[in-house]
Amino acid sequence: MFQALRDTLPSNRWIRALLLIIVVGIVLTPWLFEGTRALDTAARLSIFIVLAASYDLLLGYTGVVSFAHALFFGIGAYSVAIAFDQFAPGFGVMAMAILAGLSVSLVVAFVMGLVSLRVKTIFYAMITLAVASAATVLVSQFYHLTGGEDGLTYRLPRVLTPAFRPFDDPLFGVRLTGKLFNFYTVIFVAILLFLLMVRIVASPFGRVLKALRENDFRAEAIGYNTLVYRTTATLLSAAFATLAGVLMAIWLRYTGPDSVLSLDIMIDVLLMVVIGGMGTLYGAIIGATVLLLAQMYLQTLMGSTQDVLGGWPILANLFDPNRWLLWLGLLFIASVYFFPQGIVGRFSHPRATEAEAEVRT
Amino acid sequence: MMTDATTDARVMPMLTLQDVHTEVDGYHILEGVSFSVPRHQVTMLLGRNGVGKTSTLRTIMGLWRANRGTIALNGENIESLNTMNIARKGLHYVPENMGIFASLTVGENLRIACRSQRLEGERLDWVLQLFPALHTFWHWPAGHLSGGQKQMLAIARAVIEPCDLLLVDEPSKGLAPAIIQNLIQAFEALKSEQTTILMVEQNLHMAQRLGDHLVVMEDGRTLHEGRMADFATDSKRQAEWLGLSMEASV
């Protein structure tokens, strides 16, 4: 595992430092930041990192453009939501729901993978878009089961709820409740899933994927079965997205089309991967952080900027909190303009520079 | 025929093409290619530009499908197999554009060429001895190498696992004379290992130094098959078949 981390980590020192800050920031959120909003942001961030990384496994490592990735996220979330809605909340039910969700996802991914062999790039992207839209329609049609547009609100096992208070004394000022336990379950599983993806990418299997992305004819002429590798990557990517959906359902205690299935989620994930850097995996961490923090706090930031600029009529107007989407858009344009390969991609031709230094000395 | 062939495997050619026709997008590119590649020898496939030399290699590799005719490797027909299975039969191919994986490091490129993805120490040492530059640039992304180094990597990748037959398409193309000398030495070392090679080459000097066997093509057909030694001294035929006294001075 450590070898895999060493092989894949971007060697740019600043990027490494940034990654460390983000991870430590997420893990220590209950102690570093006050309030439930910070806790919610950190949990969502860790879930979206897994989701974006799983999309990168597909987009960045195999070059397959799919708009149905949020569908797998949705399947994961809805499987837990429906199970908790229909049965008494318990860990056995949760385990069954996860298994069911994974099975459905794998079947759907396999069928879509078969289609992807017949049609190429843009046409495949269109098909996935159609499948994703169909899924949202299905969710609102089967409202008895899914809660329709309103979604489902359900109860979790007591251990994961704020009502669970095993200790009376707070630890370094933070009260230990089921909510905190829920938070750390999400974070721990997210870290585990991410490390698993790192391990996959650093494995011989991941190496073949990178070769395929670059020149699939060549990989085939070496004797690799491109079909098997592409399909496996698609299935793995779907499985990780499903598990991210499960985490989302557990954390939010609510599952609805807007929170797990919408096209907005899909576009967010696409942006996270592109901003962070395709085919880097670690780009997902930075991309998700930039995007989520911007979505959560840009408005607040602009509000305070406007207060500071109170005396300047036009400038103050520009920074009106209601214009935050405009600034978010500018932020995207700037990031794509300055970092066309993504933030991590921009700073990582690292091994070359290291080797060059070695050769020169 | 099989019994004759199996009685003395050394006499049976490694590869035999019999009246191979290939059409690509409606264009008839190969119109009857027949020749054989003798075992443990270097066969040179020569001819003017556009006569179908690269197409012949691509057809052997299954990258283009032969419409007619047979291609037999060790007596077994392979023309209906797909590229992956042909590669698994022990045919290694170094295409003209070298086809290295630019974003992978030199080491990863070599590792991926072994399907077990484990580099075997002795063989690796031997390959790195042939191409010392690869050792120096082991951790570099292969895309950062120079043209000559990329060619060396492409060949190293093809021989990192022992293969039955090595197909090489114009290895000297666009390389400086000094590097061509290096390449010739590397191929001579491969030859001494009794590797069977089928090579397309425009550099007559290189072709003469390495070749044992010779196939000349014209207009998608085989024009001549024979010993390289006879052809090397026949400047009339060289001019007639290849249309030039070529870069013989290199």
Side-chain angles (χ1 to χ4, degrees):
Chain A
M1 190 64 235
F2 290 110
Q3 182 65 37
L5 275 176
R6 213 170 44 203
D7 287 350
T8 52
L9 259 179
S11 70
N12 183 299
R13 242 178 300 161
W14 296 107
I15 296 283
R16 281 187 181 201
L18 191 58
L19 289 172
L20 189 70
I21 291 171
I22 293 172
V23 173
V24 171
I26 291 175
V27 172
L28 296 183
T29 297
W31 281 271
L32 292 177
F33 309 99
E34 266 183 49
T36 51
R37 189 164 182 215
L39 204 64
D40 187 47
T41 307
R44 275 172 195 264
L45 182 54
S46 63
I47 294 168
F48 271 96
I49 287 172
V50 173
L51 183 60
S54 74
Y55 191 54
D56 193 24
L57 209 55
L58 189 72
L59 181 69
Y61 283 87
T62 67
V64 174
V65 181
S66 160
F67 285 108
H69 202 63
L71 173 63
F72 302 115
F73 188 58
I75 291 175
Y78 269 104
S79 60
V80 170
I82 293 172
F84 282 169
D85 186 53
Q86 302 281 330
F87 307 101
F91 286 103
V93 171
M94 196 197 288
M96 294 307 289
I98 292 171
L99 275 182
L102 276 177
S103 317
V104 173
S105 279
L106 290 180
V107 171
V108 174
F110 186 72
V111 172
M112 282 180 29
L114 289 184
V115 175
S116 80
L117 306 170
R118 296 241 161 251
V119 287
K120 294 283 171 224
T121 49
I122 186 73
F123 302 105
Y124 180 68
M126 299 307 286
I127 290 175
T128 56
L129 199 57
V131 172
S133 311
T136 48
V137 173
L138 277 181
V139 164
S140 61
Q141 291 285 314
F142 288 92
Y143 55 88
H144 293 302
L145 201 61
T146 61
E149 296 294 324
D150 296 334
L152 293 170
T153 310
Y154 39 86
R155 286 172 44 211
L156 291 180
R158 205 180 120 77
V159 195
L160 298 175
T161 58
F164 179 68
R165 290 186 181 175
F167 307 105
D168 291 333
D169 300 323
L171 181 70
F172 300 116
V174 175
R175 189 169 278 285
L176 304 174
T177 65
K179 177 93 175 166
L180 203 65
F181 187 59
N182 189 340
F183 176 77
Y184 277 110
T185 307
V186 168
I187 302 291
F188 178 74
V189 175
I191 290 176
L192 210 65
L193 292 176
F194 188 83
L195 289 179
L196 204 58
M197 282 187 266
V198 168
R199 184 73 193 81
I200 289 172
V201 166
S203 72
F205 173 79
R207 209 176 290 136
V208 177
L209 288 187
K210 278 189 260 180
L212 276 184
R213 175 182 60 182
E214 225 173 276
N215 188 341
D216 47 357
F217 285 122
R218 188 69 212 129
E220 209 168 321
I222 294 176
Y224 289 105
N225 192 334
T226 51
L227 186 71
V228 169
Y229 279 89
R230 278 238 163 84
T231 314
T232 313
T234 313
L235 293 180
L236 281 173
S237 161
F240 280 108
T242 308
L243 293 174
V246 167
L247 291 182
M248 195 66 168
I250 293 172
W251 174 249
L252 282 185
R253 282 186 290 165
Y254 159 80
T255 296
D258 290 338
S259 68
V260 293
L261 209 56
S262 67
L263 196 61
D264 290 349
I265 302 262
M266 188 60 241
I267 290 171
D268 281 355
V269 172
L270 184 65
L271 280 171
M272 286 169 188
V273 173
V274 171
I275 290 174
M278 276 192 278
T280 60
L281 216 58
Y282 294 93
I285 299 183
I286 292 180
T289 310
V290 169
L291 194 77
L292 267 189
L293 289 189
Q295 281 178 345
M296 293 284 209
Y297 296 105
L298 192 61
Q299 234 172 332
T300 324
L301 185 74
M302 285 176 58
S304 38
T305 313
Q306 195 186 25
D307 292 343
V308 174
L309 294 172
W312 303 68
I314 297 175
L315 267 182
N317 203 2
L318 261 182
F319 284 95
D320 189 300
N322 290 326
R323 298 192 206 287
W324 75 283
L325 272 174
L326 168 79
W327 287 97
L328 194 62
L330 288 177
L331 191 73
F332 293 153
I333 294 171
S335 84
V336 174
Y337 185 78
F338 291 110
F339 308 112
Q341 298 163 292
I343 296 173
V344 174
R346 166 73 180 75
F347 294 106
S348 58
H349 292 293
R351 284 186 273 189
T353 42
E354 266 176 15
E356 269 164 326
E358 252 169 53
V359 172
R360 284 203 199 99
T361 47
Chain B
M1 188 197 126
M2 269 309 285
T3 46
D4 284 354
T6 43
T7 45
D8 194 348
R10 278 172 307 171
V11 179
M12 185 178 70
M14 178 70 79
L15 185 80
T16 313
L17 279 77
Q18 195 70 50
D19 193 31
V20 170
H21 290 245
T22 302
E23 266 179 42
V24 178
D25 295 334
Y27 292 97
H28 212 150
I29 290 177
L30 300 184
E31 306 180 14
V33 177
S34 305
F35 65 86
S36 45
V37 176
R39 202 169 291 271
H40 307 320
Q41 291 191 16
V42 176
T43 300
M44 285 292 169
L45 191 55
L46 304 183
R48 297 169 208 242
N49 278 334
V51 295
K53 304 185 295 288
T54 298
S55 306
T56 304
L57 294 191
R58 290 185 65 92
T59 306
I60 295 171
M61 233 19 236
L63 291 162
W64 283 336
R65 180 94 32 221
N67 303 77
R68 223 168 83 193
T70 56
I71 303 170
L73 178 72
N74 291 320
E76 185 192 348
N77 285 6
I78 58 167
E79 72 275 356
S80 55
L81 298 180
N82 61 24
T83 303
M84 176 188 79
N85 287 321
I86 292 173
R88 290 183 177 185
K89 293 265 177 214
L91 256 74
H92 292 187
Y93 176 43
V94 183
E96 196 179 340
N97 63 9
M98 300 173 281
I100 56 158
F101 300 115
S103 69
L104 269 58
T105 64
V106 169
E108 286 176 320
N109 264 281
L110 285 177
R111 198 161 280 147
I112 211 163
C114 308
R115 271 201 307 286
S116 64
Q117 295 211 27
R118 285 201 191 87
L119 291 168
E120 198 238 313
E122 222 170 280
R123 184 83 182 172
L124 180 63
D125 289 345
W126 175 71
V127 168
L128 290 180
Q129 216 178 337
L130 285 183
F131 306 108
L134 300 184
H135 192 248
T136 316
F137 301 114
W138 188 256
H139 295 290
W140 277 42
H144 290 210
L145 298 180
S146 73
Q149 289 160 350
K150 279 182 189 159
Q151 188 60 264
M152 289 172 191
L153 175 58
I155 296 164
R157 207 174 54 176
V159 300
I160 189 78
E161 276 192 321
C163 61
D164 281 352
L165 174 60
L166 181 61
L167 307 178
V168 191
D169 199 351
E170 285 207 50
S172 74
K173 192 179 186 186
L175 300 185
I179 295 175
I180 294 181
Q181 285 305 322
N182 271 350
L183 269 187
I184 291 178
Q185 283 164 11
F187 278 115
E188 276 172 343
L190 283 172
K191 237 178 112 166
S192 66
E193 293 272 311
Q194 301 223 306
T195 314
T196 310
I197 301 177
L198 172 61
M199 187 186 294
V200 169
E201 186 51 69
Q202 297 272 20
N203 183 320
L204 195 58
H205 167 69
M206 183 160 167
Q208 285 174 351
R209 264 206 45 199
L210 292 171
D212 306 303
H213 191 69
L214 163 80
V215 177
V216 182
M217 287 183 64
E218 193 167 76
D219 295 336
R221 292 188 186 85
T222 328
L223 180 67
H224 169 82
E225 182 173 5
R227 283 180 355 122
M228 183 55 124
D230 300 336
F231 179 74
T233 53
D234 193 341
S235 54
K236 188 169 156 258
R237 286 190 149 178
Q238 287 177 15
E240 186 185 331
W241 290 340
L242 307 178
L244 27 77
S245 50
M246 289 232 298
E247 304 123 279
S249 55
V250 174

